[in-house]
Amino acid sequence: MRLNKLCLLWLMATICTSFSCQGQNDTQNKAKADTLAIKQESNAAPVELGKPVKVGNSKPTTFKGTKPNIITRKEKLYPFFDTLLAMQRPTRIVHIGDSHVRGHSFTVEARKRLEKEWGAQAVEPQVIEYKTTALATETGKPGLVYHAFGKNGATCLDFTTNEYIQKIVSLKPDMIIISFGTNECHVKKYDPAPHRKALDKMLKLLNDSCPNAIIVMTTPGGAHFSKKRTVVKAVKQKNGKTINKKVNNTIYIENPSTATCVNTITTFAKENDLAVWDMFYIGGGKEFSTKNWVNNRLMKKDYVHYTLKGYKIQGDLLAEAILRAYNDYLKNKSNGGNN
C-alpha cells in the first residue's frame, strides 16, 4: 500500500514537472517568436509580370511631418526591372547593413512583399529566425531572389573588407541595397569626412566587383543616446523614517547627429547619381522622425532598435517604394520611354 502511494506521488510530481517545463519552454519559444519566426512560402504558380501592382500605404497615419514614400532617382532601378520582366533567370537583390538588417525582420518583410507581387518561384520555402541567415535558397527558376545579411554594430567601412565584398559578389546581385548610418553617427562627435571617405571606398569596391549592379542607399530612422544621471530620491526605511538617497537613472537623449549623417548619405548619393530611399525624411525628418517611432511604441527600450512591428512597417515601406518605382517604370515603358 505504501509502495502504491509512493508511486502515485512520483507520477503526480512527474506530471507537474512536465507541465512546468513545458510552460517554461512555451515562454522561451514565444520570446524567440516575438523576435522573428517567418516562414517563406513559394507561390504555387508564377505571378504575371508586366502589369501595375497595388502598392498600398503602410505608413502609420499618426506619423507627423512625413514625406512621400518614394525612391529618389527611381529611374536608376529601371535596368533591374528590365531584367525582372525578361524572366530569363533569377533577378537578385542583396541587402547589406548593420544590426537593423542583421535582425532580419526589416528585410524579410520587404522580401515577402516583393515576392507576393513578383512571384517566389525563384526561391525555396524556408523559415527565417534570428539564429538563421536571411540568405535565400535559389531554385534556379526565373523570378525574384532577395538575399540579406548584416552585422551588429557595423559601419559601411566594416563591409569594405575582401571577405564581405566577395560574399556580395558570390550572390550575383542585380541590385545592392546599402543600409548603414546608425553606428557612424552614434558617437560623441560625428564627423562627416571619414564617413564620406568610407562611402567612397565602398562604392568603388562595389562598382569594380559588381559593375552591373544597381546601388540603392537608405538612411537610418533615428536613435537615442543613453546617459546615466544621478538623482536624489526620498526612500522610506523600515523604521518609518525617510532618508534622501542617491539613485542612478538612465535617460535617453535623441541623437542630434542623425540628421547630419543622413545629409552625408543623401548628398553622396546625389553626387554619385545613386538611387536613395530616405527613410529619415519619409518618416518625419529632423523634427519628427525619431519621435514618430517612439510615440507610436515602435522602438525597443534601448531607443536604438525597433520593435518587430516597427521593423515590419519599415520593410513594407521599402517594398512599397520599390513597387511604386516599378509602376512608374511600366508607365514610362508604355509611353515609349519618354517620361
Side-chain angles (χ1 to χ4, degrees):
M1 187 70 172
R2 184 179 178 184
L3 183 60
N4 288 339
K5 285 183 177 179
L6 289 173
C7 290
L8 181 61
L9 288 172
W10 175 83
L11 180 60
M12 291 176 66
T14 302
I15 293 172
C16 289
T17 302
S18 176
F19 276 112
S20 176
C21 291
Q22 183 62 46
Q24 291 175 8
N25 289 336
D26 287 345
T27 300
Q28 292 170 357
N29 290 337
K30 185 179 185 302
K32 291 178 181 178
D34 287 344
T35 302
L36 180 69
I38 299 174
K39 185 177 181 181
Q40 289 292 122
E41 297 183 356
S42 296
N43 293 336
V47 173
E48 185 178 359
L49 299 178
K51 294 183 177 181
V53 298
K54 185 177 180 180
V55 175
N57 182 13
S58 296
K59 191 186 301 177
T61 57
T62 50
F63 273 27
K64 299 178 180 179
T66 62
K67 303 295 183 185
N69 182 25
I70 60 172
I71 301 285
T72 304
R73 286 175 290 281
K74 62 189 176 184
E75 66 278 1
K76 296 300 172 182
L77 276 61
Y78 289 3
F80 173 84
F81 298 141
D82 283 338
T83 302
L84 183 69
L85 285 184
M87 292 293 287
Q88 297 296 312
R89 61 171 178 81
T91 307
R92 304 176 181 92
I93 294 175
V94 176
H95 195 157
I96 61 173
D98 50 32
S99 57
H100 301 304
V101 172
R102 170 61 186 88
H104 301 333
S105 307
F106 168 36
T107 55
V108 168
E109 192 65 21
R111 170 179 167 177
K112 284 170 61 181
R113 285 293 303 276
L114 296 179
E115 285 181 354
K116 179 181 178 182
E117 299 298 343
W118 293 336
Q121 65 275 2
V123 296
E124 297 283 357
Q126 66 185 113
V127 174
I128 300 175
E129 299 176 318
Y130 184 80
K131 63 184 178 182
T132 70
T133 73
L135 300 180
T137 302
E138 300 186 20
T139 63
K141 297 177 181 179
L144 178 71
V145 176
Y146 197 123
H147 297 295
F149 66 95
K151 178 184 177 183
N152 292 335
T155 65
C156 65
L157 186 62
D158 293 319
F159 273 63
T160 59
T161 64
N162 184 64
E163 176 188 358
Y164 280 112
I165 295 299
Q166 289 308 310
K167 186 172 183 178
I168 295 168
V169 171
S170 70
L171 297 172
K172 303 177 181 178
D174 296 288
M175 178 191 295
I176 302 172
I177 303 176
I178 302 173
S179 295
F180 295 99
T182 296
N183 297 305
E184 278 85 346
C185 65
H186 203 74
V187 291
K188 289 184 178 180
K189 189 176 181 180
Y190 168 71
D191 186 354
H195 186 189
R196 171 60 189 260
K197 188 175 180 180
L199 288 171
D200 273 323
K201 183 177 181 180
M202 169 173 271
L203 181 61
K204 185 178 186 306
L205 288 170
L206 291 177
N207 282 339
D208 289 345
S209 57
C210 307
N212 297 318
I214 308 302
I215 305 293
V216 179
M217 303 194 70
T218 76
T219 62
H224 291 70
F225 287 118
S226 61
K227 185 177 180 181
K228 296 291 185 181
R229 182 179 66 175
T230 302
V231 297
V232 177
K233 186 178 180 181
V235 179
K236 192 173 183 178
Q237 304 295 294
K238 290 182 179 180
N239 59 11
K241 293 183 179 180
T242 300
I243 63 171
N244 291 328
K245 188 176 181 180
K246 290 183 178 180
V247 179
N248 290 326
N249 283 351
T250 301
I251 61 173
Y252 295 90
I253 303 170
E254 191 171 332
N255 186 355
S257 297
T258 302
T260 308
C261 174
V262 168
N263 183 64
T264 300
I265 295 171
T266 55
T267 300
F268 177 84
K270 182 177 181 180
E271 291 173 354
N272 288 277
D273 201 23
L274 303 176
V276 62
W277 182 63
D278 192 352
M279 186 176 73
F280 184 71
Y281 279 96
I282 290 168
K286 186 175 182 180
E287 185 176 359
F288 293 109
S289 183
T290 307
K291 292 183 179 66
N292 281 335
W293 296 105
V294 172
N295 293 343
N296 286 273
R297 298 181 179 181
L298 296 171
M299 290 196 85
K300 291 185 177 179
K301 291 182 179 179
D302 64 2
Y303 293 103
V304 173
H305 300 94
Y306 299 83
T307 63
L308 179 59
K309 182 178 179 181
Y311 279 126
K312 284 188 173 183
I313 290 172
Q314 291 177 12
D316 281 329
L317 289 174
L318 173 58
E320 287 165 5
I322 294 173
L323 292 172
R324 191 168 284 113
Y326 175 70
N327 283 345
D328 290 340
Y329 156 83
L330 293 178
K331 183 179 180 180
N332 181 66
K333 193 177 180 70
S334 66
N335 292 335
N338 296 320
N339 287 351

